[in-house]
Amino acid sequence: MVAKVDPRNTSKNCSRCGLPGTRKRHSFNCPKCGFSIHADLNAAYNIRNRFTSSRASEDQSVSSEASI
């Protein structure tokens, strides 16, 4: 499955708590929850989280998986 996800701020927000963090080059740190990770991996987790939350808000009975 392919879906468009808005990439804005995916590397600036914490993928664990969702609040803004600090990105310095390849490093991401969240001052709120203490989460620390490679910035690109944090962005990838945020994109995944946005996709799964958008899927959860859809009517699952009309999804393509429902017919399988």
Side-chain angles (χ1 to χ4, degrees), residues 9-66:
N9 296 323
T10 54
S11 64
K12 295 179 182 177
N13 292 338
C14 179
S15 60
R16 184 172 285 170
C17 72
L19 295 174
T22 304
R23 179 181 177 155
K24 291 184 181 174
R25 296 189 47 84
H26 301 297
S27 178
F28 175 85
N29 296 299
C30 179
K32 180 68 177 175
C33 71
F35 188 56
S36 181
I37 194 170
H38 190 285
D40 292 340
L41 189 54
N42 180 64
Y45 286 155
N46 278 323
I47 290 171
R48 178 207 55 200
N49 294 346
R50 287 182 186 182
F51 172 75
T52 55
S53 68
S54 71
R55 292 278 297 144
S57 65
E58 290 179 4
D59 183 6
Q60 295 298 314
S61 64
V62 296
S63 69
S64 60
E65 294 87 358

